[in-house]
Amino acid sequence: MKAEVVGFGSRAPEEVLAVLSKAVKDGCIATIKPVRSQSIGLALSRAPYRAFLSNGSIGGGESNLVIYHLPTSVTEYLAFGGSESSSVRSAILAGNGVVAAYDPKTSSFVGGSSDTVLAALGGACGAESDASAKGALASGALAALSKLDQETSAQLDPSSLAKRKDVVIVVGSGGREHALSVALARSPLIADVICCPGNGGTAVEGGKIRNAEGVNGKQDNATVIDLVKRVGAHMVVVGPEAPLVDGLVDELATQCPRVRAFGPTKAGAELEASKAFTKDFLQEHDIPTAKYRNFTDAAEAIAYVESLDKNDRQVVKASGLAAGKGVLLPTTKAETIEAVKEIMSDKAFGAAGDTCVIESFMTGPEASCLALCDGKTAVLMPAAQDHKRALDNDEGLNTGGMGAYAPAPCVTPDLQKEIEAMCIKTVQKMAERGTPYVGVLYAGMMLTPNGPSVLEFNCRFGDPETQVVLPLLETDLYEVFIACCDGNLDSVDVRFKENTSAATVVCAAKGYPEAYPKGMSIIGLPEANAISGVKVYHAGTKLDGNVSRCSGGRVLAVTGMGSDLKEALAASYKAVGKLDFVGDNDGSLMHNRTDIAKGAINKKLRLGVLGSTRGTALIPVIEACANGSLNAEIVAVVSNKSTAPVLEKGKALGVTVTTKFVSSKGLSREEFDAECTSVLVGAGVEYVLLVGYMRILSKPFCDFWAGRCINVHPSLLPKHAGGMDLAVHQAVIDAGEGESGCTIHEVTEAVDGGPIVVQKVVKVEQGETAESLKAKVQALEGPAFVEAIQKKGGKAVISYADAGVDIDAGNALVEMIKADCKSTRRAGCDADLGGFGGLFDLAAAGFDSANTVLIGATDGVGTKLRIAQTTKSHDSVGVDLVAMCVNDLIVAGGEPLFFLDYYATGNLAVEEAAAVVKGIAEGCRQAGCGLIGGETAEMPSMYAPGDYDLAGFSVGAVDRNAILPKDVGAGDVLLGLSSSGIHSNGFSLVRKLLEKEKLGYESKCPWDASASSVGASLLTPTKIYVKSCLPLLKAGLLNGLSHITGGGLLENLPRSLPKGVVAEITGHPALPPVFKWMQQASGLDDTEMLRTFNCGIGMVLIVKADKVDEAKTLLKEAGEDEVYDLGVLVSGEGEQVVMKAELV
């Protein structure tokens, strides 16, 4: 036996609740399933109804009762009526159950009353169903549906005189206005949405949406009123606050009285225009806000600050409009005084600071709460949370908002109701003072330890909150706005999508909120918008021909939708990955945060407690929540005993914890459990603990909380199930059992019969008493609860993170290094990250593929990394990595084309890895090759904490007729190019020498007085010779090259010499200081030095004697200040390198 309640949305009419409650109590129905009726459940569980429902949908067997909420408008009927009305008609025609239609316009059932519905069900369900009552309800429902069909047909018929073809003007040019326009355009009552002035996004949105013509980017009152008259607008929706404060709505009422204006009058907008006015208003009407004082004299304000206790932190605000920047957050008394001077004396915010508000600093989560207002009442939309700071981890400067998400998990149903009551009171009190408030009231709320408190009011939709709240709206926005303007918001059911979340990520110009570039082309818009569940809203954009360009700081808001917040965020960030802002130099100029909603995703598990006794087992849970070992928080404590000490434990946690005694007097078990459930649900409880709860739970309670409620039993279940307290322990002793303990189990209808979650064991000692055994077992109950909650919180499932691999850190690293990678773009590759492989187009790079040979090179940095890791200086080893590869490529005559890196570590430190990759990107820029990809491997079992290793892979190209070495022979001249230091070889010996000489990396450098330390000198990056040698290669001046790496000159130069040719070194330069120190510290002779280090020569060039002067000229033009005449090649056998000069 079941009932289905369909289409009630946020409404829960008393008449419907009364019918459902009585039908449950009389046994007519056992299960109530809501469909698009999110408010029914909580309302039904509360007094005086006290009945349960379960989740479900239409279908799944016949229902004894279907109560259908008639759509409040044609648009709602169009959106949902097709499937729902068909189901209702089918149920009526089947005749197996009772179908009743509820009409919100008359607040009654169509074709009868609540008594009619109960009579049709069969009275007390022992009586026979009243066929005439059932028929009257069915006839009424069918007639109502037929009327809706006729009205719908008229609206859908283009030729119908009844069809609405309204024109709406949206004032503004930001992402908020784009979102408003898109939401309004969904209404079948609207023919055109005209944006004044709009932006690049509204210009190309298409459909009903277009930008106003002839406004020249203006949105002043005169321009808007002229546009209203020109286009015959039916409504003006005002986005930004400035026109409202300037009295646009007042002027429209005078000059265009038949046109509706959604937004407050100038007097109403005072709630945002003057923070001083708002604070006085809130205080006058007992609406919670921070303690404050208003000042018009700087000296008085400073004197007030000086009178405060030094620990009494304050917030200092410019009272007037300051473009969202007039709030300062000093941390000390001195900073507070400076903030007052900045606002009042220095006029940092102009006239907005003529009046200054100083208020107490509040703590807690912030929430953006937008309420629709009609001058009489208000309806609160789902709360959102935004991110104001420019950088991840809420660092950097304040902005207009870098992202947002909704619904905000921190705003529970009870808090939502409490905040809505504050908004309603505000609207009512504004009306009483003769300034009715119509439009959106944006309440910035602080969820303090003492309850919600108003931070500020804004008189318009928030940005970017609008971009996450409006996509959740299920009701026709235009009809809501009409109801607000007409003062009958109660006539419209403002409802939002169930089980749906939205998240938006703002893409800003690099540098925002400080100086930032403009005019960049925006790429990837079609690809981003094509992702399922994604909408890209434009803010600071303009249309340049067919190209969308950046024209502001916050450029785009990328909104993703999903069944939960994780899914919504994934969609949003996937779309962000498709976008970029490209300037004249092809570099990326886009910035976005990578941690939007991170706190909400990792939110704490919300615990509710049912207890009848002291609640001793709750103490370890409270402690674990406090010390962070449990990612959970207790939000409600409920007891069936008014004097139960467990209630005091709840009160001690603070006023934000719901602590309540629920009397069972006169209530059935099901009714009592329903009322307890209403308290838990209202507090946002997700998981219930029974701690010393001395009641048997009803089946509806167990079904409702299935898998989400646990109990502790003082034995090792299934033994001694059903027993209580000392009787259980005595039974264990009497049975001669050697061990006992406690069991945490899920609660089901079978007493102590639910699945076991955790068991803790104690030994039963000789001579044990029931009392002594109880004390031992009881000590384990709290820890057992903690372990069970940890399992519920995700610890029972071992994730990659539990194994030591942080996927989010990897994603953050990719986002952090994207711009650096893009800065290495060159012809043939775009250096984008994110694909499975990097692409390179040889033809685009100017190579003839038929005659081109590809060259590959791979290398690492060696133990030089140990110095970087020890000194935490990671920004240069990436250059070393590139150098070791591309210098090898150039030796073969090739031009480096692209580079890939491999970064392996035990634990990914994002900032550290990003520094390394930035160095790699710098090396690629020096080498002129594209960084087209890489791999980051996090392997906790392979590397010690703080360790990482690098490998590089580079590919170059050379004409098959220009591969080196070629035509090398006696008489050729050897030229040497200097090294920058030790480069990347020989560091195992270097570290050994430092140890011998008792030098640390932080020690003063003995070979270079200008270096800050030994470590800094040793980390001098390897010199890259590509741009020096490439001009000579292209000029055909080189016959061979030798990169002097490990093995030194003696081992590397022979690799470029043919047999029968010997290199005579006659002009080796003097040893640089670092190598002189190494030789002295090591005692190595010249030969061993030349086999171990580069000794000051990093690259050897082999040229024909008649080309030497031309080669030197090109090298100097490329920046080589010193070119050494090393020696010549001669005919001979044996050792191929002969030193004719000593190292000095």
Side-chain angles (χ1 to χ4, degrees):
M1 297 183 294
K2 71 176 181 180
E4 292 180 354
V5 187
V6 183
F8 279 80
S10 60
R11 292 180 170 179
E14 292 182 3
E15 190 170 8
V16 173
L17 295 173
V19 166
L20 292 170
S21 176
K22 184 164 178 53
V24 169
K25 292 172 183 177
D26 288 349
C28 302
I29 54 177
T31 305
I32 304 170
K33 293 189 177 182
V35 180
R36 283 201 317 118
S37 303
Q38 60 263 39
S39 293
I40 288 288
L42 185 55
L44 192 61
S45 65
R46 286 178 167 155
Y49 311 108
R50 302 186 180 94
F52 280 96
L53 57 76
S54 61
N55 294 319
S57 59
I58 288 182
E62 296 176 351
S63 295
N64 299 72
L65 173 64
V66 175
I67 300 180
Y68 177 53
H69 188 289
L70 291 174
T72 56
S73 65
V74 170
T75 54
E76 184 186 344
Y77 191 57
L78 285 170
F80 302 100
S83 59
E84 290 178 352
S85 64
S86 295
S87 297
V88 170
R89 284 189 173 97
S90 296
I92 292 173
L93 295 174
N96 294 322
V98 176
V99 178
Y102 180 83
D103 188 350
K105 295 177 181 177
T106 61
S107 299
S108 63
F109 291 101
V110 180
S113 64
S114 55
D115 289 338
T116 310
V117 178
L118 292 170
L121 278 172
C125 296
E128 194 172 315
S129 172
D130 187 330
S132 63
K134 181 177 176 181
L137 293 169
S139 297
L142 289 172
L145 290 174
S146 295
K147 184 180 179 182
L148 283 167
D149 287 338
Q150 294 169 7
E151 294 173 354
T152 301
S153 297
Q155 183 58 36
L156 292 175
D157 183 0
S159 63
S160 172
L161 295 176
K163 179 176 175 62
R164 295 275 294 273
K165 301 176 182 179
D166 291 5
V167 176
V168 177
I169 293 173
V170 176
V171 179
S173 60
R176 164 184 53 215
E177 287 73 36
H178 192 177
L180 282 165
S181 300
V182 170
L184 287 165
R186 295 192 190 105
S187 174
L189 307 179
I190 291 178
D192 291 292
V193 178
I194 302 173
C195 303
C196 178
N199 57 40
T202 52
V204 298
E205 184 67 39
K208 300 176 182 180
I209 300 172
R210 59 186 170 90
N211 285 351
E213 297 177 358
V215 299
N216 298 319
K218 297 179 181 178
Q219 59 184 39
D220 58 275
N221 294 5
T223 298
V224 174
I225 290 170
D226 176 68
L227 180 63
V228 169
K229 294 176 179 177
R230 279 195 287 124
V231 301
H234 296 78
M235 179 183 285
V236 176
V237 177
V238 188
E241 68 276 7
L244 296 168
V245 174
D246 288 343
L248 175 57
V249 171
D250 305 75
E251 290 193 39
L252 282 167
T254 301
Q255 298 193 40
C256 308
R258 294 186 179 180
V259 177
R260 295 182 174 97
F262 183 80
T265 61
K266 184 174 184 176
E270 190 77 358
L271 285 172
E272 179 168 0
S274 172
K275 293 180 177 65
F277 166 81
T278 299
K279 295 295 288 188
D280 289 343
F281 176 90
L282 292 168
Q283 180 174 268
E284 179 185 353
H285 299 297
D286 295 322
I287 298 172
T289 190
K291 175 187 173 184
Y292 75 100
R293 285 278 300 275
N294 297 330
F295 296 94
T296 56
D297 181 85
E300 290 182 11
I302 292 170
Y304 171 71
V305 174
E306 289 176 335
S307 72
L308 298 172
D309 183 271
K310 66 177 182 178
N311 296 319
D312 190 359
R313 186 178 174 186
Q314 301 292 301
V315 178
V316 185
K317 301 179 178 180
S319 177
L321 295 179
K325 300 177 181 179
V327 178
L328 303 181
L329 302 171
T331 57
T332 66
K333 183 179 287 192
E335 288 179 3
T336 305
I337 291 171
E338 287 304 311
V340 171
K341 291 177 180 178
E342 182 178 346
I343 290 174
M344 302 194 75
S345 302
D346 300 341
K347 296 295 182 184
F349 306 107
D354 289 348
T355 298
C356 178
V357 179
I358 302 176
E359 67 179 30
S360 296
F361 182 82
M362 295 188 291
T363 60
E366 290 186 42
S368 301
C369 301
L370 309 179
L372 296 156
C373 309
D374 69 350
K376 303 172 185 176
T377 189
V379 173
L380 194 64
M381 293 183 266
Q385 286 189 292
D386 72 338
H387 297 259
K388 291 294 186 188
R389 298 283 185 169
L391 306 178
D392 284 359
N393 300 314
D394 288 329
E395 296 177 353
L397 298 174
N398 265 329
T399 70
M402 294 300 295
Y405 56 94
C410 61
V411 179
T412 64
D414 282 354
L415 282 175
Q416 179 89 358
K417 187 176 180 181
E418 189 174 352
I419 294 168
E420 184 175 66
M422 293 182 190
C423 294
I424 292 172
K425 187 174 185 179
T426 298
V427 173
Q428 291 172 341
K429 295 303 179 182
M430 286 292 284
E432 288 177 10
R433 66 190 298 273
T435 54
Y437 191 95
V438 173
V440 164
L441 180 65
Y442 174 163
M445 303 299 301
M446 182 72 82
L447 308 182
T448 77
N450 296 315
S453 186
V454 178
L455 281 169
E456 64 178 0
F457 281 141
N458 293 318
C459 63
R460 36 70 190 181
F461 278 98
D463 188 339
E465 291 90 346
T466 306
Q467 292 91 307
V468 290
V469 172
L470 286 188
L472 299 176
L473 183 67
E474 194 174 87
T475 309
D476 185 321
L477 182 63
Y478 185 48
E479 290 193 326
V480 174
F481 283 179
I482 289 173
C484 288
C485 293
D486 293 352
N488 57 2
L489 185 56
D490 282 341
S491 68
V492 177
D493 180 23
V494 183
R495 64 181 73 191
F496 294 85
K497 296 172 183 174
E498 296 178 296
N499 304 315
T500 306
S501 292
T504 196
V505 178
V506 170
C507 299
K510 189 166 287 186
Y512 173 81
E514 296 185 296
Y516 55 83
K518 295 182 181 180
M520 303 84 75
S521 61
I522 304 172
I523 61 174
L525 285 168
E527 295 81 357
N529 272 314
I531 295 172
S532 177
V534 168
K535 176 63 182 174
V536 180
Y537 296 107
H538 289 237
T541 72
K542 65 179 180 179
L543 197 60
D544 181 10
N546 293 322
V547 178
S548 294
R549 295 192 180 277
C550 303
S551 63
R554 290 189 298 162
V555 180
L556 304 172
V558 184
T559 297
M561 301 276 286
S563 59
D564 57 27
L565 188 51
K566 285 185 179 179
E567 191 175 292
L569 279 168
S572 180
Y573 274 116
K574 183 178 180 181
V576 169
K578 304 290 184 183
L579 298 166
D580 202 1
F581 307 155
V582 180
D584 294 337
N585 63 355
D586 288 340
S588 174
L589 294 173
M590 186 179 91
H591 164 68
N592 64 271
R593 283 184 58 163
T594 64
D595 63 345
I596 300 302
K598 182 179 179 180
I601 290 293
N602 300 321
K603 71 181 183 68
K604 296 179 178 179
L605 182 67
R606 298 176 65 86
L607 304 175
V609 177
L610 291 179
S612 306
T613 56
R614 289 174 295 176
T616 304
L618 191 59
I619 294 174
V621 177
I622 294 172
E623 292 173 346
C625 289
N627 64 31
S629 58
L630 267 183
N631 187 35
E633 58 181 333
I634 297 170
V635 297
V637 178
V638 180
S639 180
N640 61 320
K641 294 186 176 181
S642 61
T643 58
V646 71
L647 290 174
E648 296 305 313
K649 289 181 172 62
K651 291 174 183 176
L653 293 172
V655 297
T656 56
V657 175
T658 300
T659 305
K660 189 171 183 177
F661 157 65
V662 177
S663 173
S664 60
K665 186 176 181 180
L667 301 180
S668 67
R669 183 183 297 170
E670 289 79 5
E671 289 173 331
F672 176 81
D673 287 351
E675 188 159 340
C676 289
T677 292
S678 74
V679 177
L680 297 172
V681 171
V685 169
E686 298 167 310
Y687 203 56
V688 179
L689 315 181
L690 305 185
V691 183
Y693 192 52
M694 313 302 287
R695 284 183 60 90
I696 302 298
L697 295 163
S698 64
K699 182 180 186 303
F701 181 96
C702 296
D703 291 344
F704 185 90
W705 292 102
R708 299 183 295 144
C709 180
I710 55 176
N711 180 43
V712 62
H713 185 76
S715 77
L716 297 177
L717 292 175
K719 294 180 179 179
H720 311 293
M724 296 181 69
D725 201 28
L726 288 174
V728 174
H729 303 300
Q730 189 62 54
V732 171
I733 294 169
D734 293 345
E737 295 171 6
E739 61 181 23
S740 186
C742 65
T743 300
I744 304 292
H745 65 93
E746 291 184 7
V747 174
T748 63
E749 189 180 5
V751 176
D752 297 334
I756 293 172
V757 181
V758 171
Q759 287 189 321
K760 297 285 188 181
V761 179
V762 297
K763 287 185 177 180
V764 180
E765 305 290 348
Q766 190 71 27
E768 196 87 70
T769 66
E771 289 78 6
S772 64
L773 182 56
K774 175 182 176 179
K776 290 164 64 174
V777 170
Q778 204 169 50
L780 298 177
E781 292 178 354
F785 265 126
V786 171
E787 187 175 330
I789 297 164
Q790 285 175 333
K791 287 187 175 184
K792 178 63 179 179
K795 295 299 180 182
V797 178
I798 300 176
S799 69
Y800 225 0
D802 293 319
V805 180
D806 191 341
I807 295 173
D808 290 337
N811 294 336
L813 173 62
V814 172
E815 291 301 320
M816 191 174 290
I817 64 177
K818 271 186 176 179
D820 294 289
C821 295
K822 285 204 172 187
S823 71
T824 69
R825 281 176 172 170
R826 56 154 293 162
C829 73
D830 59 9
D832 275 330
L833 298 184
F836 287 97
L839 304 178
F840 192 94
D841 187 343
L842 281 172
F847 289 92
D848 176 8
S849 58
N851 293 303
T852 298
V853 175
L854 295 180
I855 314 165
T858 183
D859 212 329
V861 182
T863 56
K864 187 175 185 178
L865 288 177
R866 179 62 65 200
I867 301 174
Q869 291 159 6
T870 302
T871 62
K872 300 189 181 304
S873 301
H874 311 282
D875 52 356
S876 63
V877 290
V879 178
D880 289 300
L881 184 66
V882 176
M884 297 305 291
C885 294
V886 298
N887 287 343
D888 284 350
L889 283 184
I890 202 79
V891 166
E895 175 186 346
L897 301 179
F898 60 86
F899 190 88
L900 302 104
D901 67 86
Y902 179 81
Y903 181 98
T905 183
N907 180 259
L908 181 59
V910 175
E911 297 289 342
E912 188 173 287
V916 172
V917 178
K918 286 178 187 291
I920 294 172
E922 172 58 27
C924 288
R925 287 192 290 271
Q926 292 182 26
C929 62
L931 177 54
I932 66 171
E935 171 67 9
T936 302
E938 190 174 16
M939 300 180 286
S941 62
M942 296 291 290
Y943 294 91
D947 285 359
Y948 61 82
D949 200 5
L950 297 175
F953 311 89
S954 187
V955 172
V958 61
D959 187 280
R960 65 178 65 254
N961 297 314
I963 299 173
L964 298 184
K966 68 171 186 175
D967 194 24
V968 173
D972 291 350
V973 176
L974 301 176
L975 301 179
L977 302 182
S978 64
S979 66
S980 58
I982 299 176
H983 284 184
S984 299
N985 296 103
F987 275 86
S988 294
L989 176 57
V990 170
R991 291 188 294 111
K992 190 72 175 177
L993 294 177
L994 292 176
E995 182 180 344
K996 171 181 173 288
E997 297 297 319
K998 295 181 169 50
L999 289 175
Y1001 298 131
E1002 74 285 352
S1003 300
K1004 184 178 180 180
C1005 185
W1007 60 82
D1008 185 358
S1010 65
S1012 61
S1013 64
V1014 167
S1017 177
L1018 292 176
L1019 287 175
T1020 302
T1022 305
K1023 184 174 176 180
I1024 294 176
Y1025 296 95
V1026 174
K1027 291 186 177 178
S1028 297
C1029 295
L1030 204 54
L1032 281 73
L1033 285 170
K1034 291 183 177 180
L1037 299 178
L1038 295 178
N1039 295 86
L1041 287 163
S1042 180
H1043 183 201
I1044 309 305
T1045 58
L1049 184 70
L1050 300 185
E1051 300 286 345
N1052 285 286
L1053 184 52
R1055 296 164 66 184
S1056 297
L1057 301 179
K1059 289 183 178 180
V1061 174
V1062 173
E1064 290 186 351
I1065 308 301
T1066 58
H1068 197 288
L1071 283 175
V1074 63
F1075 294 108
K1076 285 184 179 180
W1077 186 90
M1078 295 294 170
Q1079 188 172 31
Q1080 292 169 1
S1082 65
L1084 294 175
D1085 60 22
D1086 287 0
T1087 300
E1088 286 303 310
M1089 284 293 293
L1090 288 165
R1091 290 180 57 194
T1092 306
F1093 300 109
N1094 66 58
C1095 293
I1097 296 296
M1099 184 69 74
V1100 177
L1101 288 64
I1102 304 173
V1103 299
K1104 297 299 179 184
D1106 62 346
K1107 302 294 185 183
V1108 169
D1109 290 341
E1110 186 180 353
K1112 286 184 175 180
T1113 299
L1114 288 178
L1115 287 168
K1116 289 184 182 296
E1117 289 176 354
E1120 291 291 345
D1121 296 326
E1122 189 75 50
V1123 180
Y1124 298 102
D1125 293 307
L1126 279 181
V1128 294
L1129 299 183
V1130 298
S1131 298
E1133 300 295 335
E1135 294 291 333
Q1136 284 193 284
V1137 179
V1138 177
M1139 294 298 296
K1140 297 287 187 177
E1142 292 184 356
L1143 297 180
V1144 294

